[in-house]
Each structure stands twice: as structure tokens, then as C-alpha cells.
Amino acid sequence: MQQKRVDDVIGEDSASERPNKRAKVTLEDPEYSTARAPQEDNEDEEEELVQKEEIRSSDLYLDTINRAILDFDFEKVCSVSLSNVNTYGCLVCGKYFQGRGRKSYAYAHSIHEDHHVFINLETTKVYVLPDGYHVSDPSLEDISYVLAPAFTRNSVAHLSSTTHLAKPSYDLASRAYLPGYVGLNNIKRNDHMNVIIHSLLHVRPLRDFLLLSDFRGKEPELLKRFAALAKKVWNPRLFKSQVSPHEFLQEVNRASAGKFRLEQQGDPVEFLGWLLNHLHKDLGGTKKRNSSIIFSTFQGELRVETQQVLIRPDSGENEKPRFDIDRDIKASESPFLFLALDLPPPPLFQDTVEKNIIPQVSLHSVLAKYDGKTTQESLGQLRRFKCRRLPQYIIVHFKRFTKNVFVEEKNPTIINFPLRGLDFRSYVDAPPNNLSTLYDLIANVTHESVAGTTRDKESTVWKVHLRAPGGGGEGEKWFMIQDLIVEETRKEMIFLGETVLQIWERRPHDTKRNGEGTDVDINKRS
């Protein structure tokens, strides 16, 4: 028994010093052909020799790595214990295991399955098991980069230039893809969250903040996983030309207490509101202006005026209530992250000819809600709105769905809008001279389902149109993304869908105000 313990101790010591599996070295090896010098003269040579032996012995196992099967998009938990502590990924079969000690699951896997190369999913260091030594080889750098992509300020600035389109990337199967415009897996019914992820990751300040972040401390898990997902979407060295948001959406499910789940269809606008507020809190944001990257990018300010409705005896039957300047008007200021727009109701009764006509409305007509003149009546009060301050990026939400006692109805009205040069000057009080009021569209989320005015969640399909970097005009490119489908689309096709959400980007102040040649309107297309 005592002899066995001594052998165990000797085995542990030898394993810690150097690998058990060594490449055999014969007397013909040139490193051993020379005579040995005195010990005090060649200590450095012996250390260098040990390092060379370790690198050479690790090469015995690097050929077993299967890059085509590696997938780091899923939640990093042990496949046996379901623990997320000290997790390693097998680079031969792609499975996750906990630990690398003698009693760990990774150690047992290396013996039973003869898989020897493992990577620490937190530190990206590679080890050979069961020997337990660290491997440092330049050929493993691509695996570490896929696991944890790193960006510099120069590389991030390149993403918004026209050269980004000219140099596509290629995956292991030699399929070309454009970083940032890759498909996201629809695991079950999470396409309504996929379109929001794509839209937010093309907002330049938020995108740059996430790509340059290095969250290794006690930051909230949702923030860490969203930043990791952003780096994967914009990774120019992917093994596969698609990304799975599984790891991020699992945390969304936990953080929202099951409100947003993979297997249940939902509302992208509701998910966007929850995500922006949750990220704002995770970043240490408060109610103060510009207290986080979320508020500094999306938050604007609204002026709301209210007045009690009074029925005058001289008013006609069909006369709408209006503001009375002789009575008190209450004014308040309210911050906003997106503007909600009401669509005109579709006609209730249609003949056989009108059934084939889809109602249309211009964007400026629904934006009139915020001109400070248009009134709305609700709960016995009149209200009118006007923006006091516009954010750098304006999120516009069209109220397309309404609920009643029996069913949830859908408004099929199509919205006509320009792709560039939308002027918000009429909807803001005293616009500052140093900021432009012209905005360009960068993301457009559309809804597709069966024809009619009843919402059918079972057959709902969500798509997003994203503008590629570069100037406007005829050479401007747009991409349509629906889950794993990524296609370049014509600008004229963007208006045909039932738009639910849009993100508009403020133009630089030095841009020409007329913007001629860049706007495209559905009424002007041939």
C-alpha cells in the first residue's frame, strides 16, 4: 500500500514537470550528438531543450483537432455536470467538460475517447490531457480568435467604410460572407429577437462600444453575452458563415423570468424596450441624461401638453374637441427611447374591387402626431406632443397590432417613406443650429403573415433590412436578413412589407441639406 502511494506521488510529480508521452529521441538526434558540458555551463541549453521537446510532443495531437465540428455559440456548461465553472472544450469532438484534474470529466474523456486537446473556454489556453501540459502553438490562434474575437479601434473604424464591402471573408467551407451581415439561427421561434439583435448591432456607437469592450470582471451576464454575440456577428474569421444566438437568448430567458423564450413567438418592439432598459441598468445607468451608452444614443425628450375635455353647448355633433387657450394647459417633459406612431384604421367595408387594394399612408402623415398641433383624446383629456430634443438615433415604432375582447387585429397599411433625408425639423422645438435634423434609415423591421386583418402568430415571419456602409445614390446596397437567409435586396422592395420598426441615423451637420439623389419614395419608383 505504501509503495502504491509512493508511485502515485512520483507519477504526479513527473506529470507536472513534463508530459508522460514524449517523442522518442535517439542518439542520432543532432541535439544529443555533441558532448555534454559541465552542469554549471549548460543550464540554459537544457531549459531550451525541454521547451523544444514540449512543442514537438504537442504536435503529436494537434493533427486530431477537427475545426469543422467546433461550435462555441452554445452555453458554456459541462455536458455531464451542467456546471459553468472551469469549463473546457474538446477540440476533437467539440463537447464541453469541467476541469482538467485527475478526477475531472475532461480527464476521463481524454482517456476513454482518446481525445487529448482541450481549450479553456474562459482563458482560451490549450492543454493536452491526460498529461496536463500547456500548448503554445501559432496554429491554434485561429481557434482562440473564434472563441474570443478581439477588435482594435482601427478595425472597428474599418467596419463603417466602403472598403468593408469590397473584402468579403470566407469560412472553412470557402463560402463568402460579409461580417456583420450573417445569418442568426432561428432555434425555435426566436426570429422576433433576431431582427432586434441585428438592428442594434448596426447602430454604430453601440456596436463600437460592444466590440471594444473587455468584460472580465463582475459585469452582469446579459451584458457580457450581448458583447460576445456582437463580436461573433462581426468576426471576420468565422469557421461557419452563421452565428447562433443561443447563449445570449438563454440569459435573456433567465433575466426576463421567462417572458422572452426561444420556443414562443413574441413582439420585437416589446423585446427591444425590455433589452434597452436592461442594458442601461447593467451599464450603471441612472435617470440622468447620457448616463449610459444607451441613453446617449437613443434617448430624446418629449413635451406633452394636456387639458381636460369640456363639452361646449355651441359645439356641433361631429365637432372634435380642441385645446382652449383660455383654460389651463398642463405641460410636462418626458424622456423617450422610441417614438410610437399610430396608423389610420383600415376601411371596415370593402367591395370586391377594394379588397385587392392595400391602404397606404406617408410617414410624414403619421409623424404629424408630434407636430405640437395634432391632438389626441384619451380618458377625458386632450393631448398633443412635440419633441424638445432629438437623439442621435431615432427608433420609430408603428402600432400595427391592437387587441380586443375576441382577437388580436393587424393593420395591413403600407407606409411610404424615404430611405434618406427624412427631415424632423417640423417635429422638434427650436432645433439647434449645430445639429442636423435630417435622418437616414439604417434598419427596417417588417412583419409577414397570412393576408387579412387578423394576426396569426403561428405563420408570422420577421425580416430586417439593413443598410450597408457607404454613401447614397445608385450604388447604395441593402441586405435582407431572415434567420439564416442573407440576400442583397433592391431598394424598391423595402417599402412593400408591413413595417413595424425603424432606426434612423442623424446626418453629419456638414452634409448638404437638400440630399437630392439619395431619397427614394414608393410614390416615385417606376
Side-chain angles (χ1 to χ4, degrees), residues 97-130:
F97 298 95
Q98 185 180 14
R100 60 183 176 90
R102 289 182 176 272
K103 296 182 180 180
S104 66
Y105 295 110
Y107 187 92
H109 179 76
S110 67
I111 295 176
H112 297 318
E113 301 296 334
D114 201 23
H115 296 172
H116 300 286
V117 191
F118 292 79
I119 186 171
N120 188 301
L121 300 179
E122 183 69 24
T123 64
T124 70
K125 292 183 177 180
V126 179
Y127 297 88
V128 169
L129 298 181

Side-chain angles (χ1 to χ4, degrees), residues 72 146 182 254 330 383:
F72 300 119
V146 170
V182 297
R254 283 193 288 265
K330 295 182 180 179
R383 291 184 179 183

